[in-house]
Amino acid sequence: MPKMKSKRGAMKRFKVTGSGKIKRHKAYKSHILTKKTRKRKRDLRTATTVHPTDKKRVKKMILA
């Protein structure tokens, strides 16, 4: 049987940290930025971790 391929789109979006957590970027930062507050746009710049309920699904996509 051939090797399992990982989802390339997921590989580009998520990174695994040294401790095993999965890092992701926040959505809603690409366009229509005039109506969003300075504070909200600043908060959207920072990376965050994937929610524990989605962790198993994301790990399966990137570590297949």
Side-chain angles (χ1 to χ4, degrees), residues 3-54:
K3 289 182 187 177
M4 293 290 290
K5 286 189 176 181
S6 55
K7 305 288 182 195
R8 299 313 294 172
M11 289 290 289
K12 293 168 190 174
R13 286 169 173 80
F14 302 104
K15 295 278 179 271
V16 182
T17 62
S19 60
K21 292 176 186 171
I22 302 168
K23 220 161 63 161
R24 68 170 180 88
H25 289 288
K26 293 179 182 175
Y28 308 111
K29 183 66 171 71
S30 56
H31 62 102
I32 315 173
L33 298 171
T34 51
K35 62 176 82 169
K36 293 168 189 164
T37 62
R38 211 176 290 138
K39 182 183 174 181
R40 184 174 165 195
K41 287 186 277 193
R42 192 168 56 239
D43 186 51
L44 290 171
R45 277 201 302 259
T46 59
T48 185
T49 54
V50 170
H51 196 269
T53 55
D54 296 319

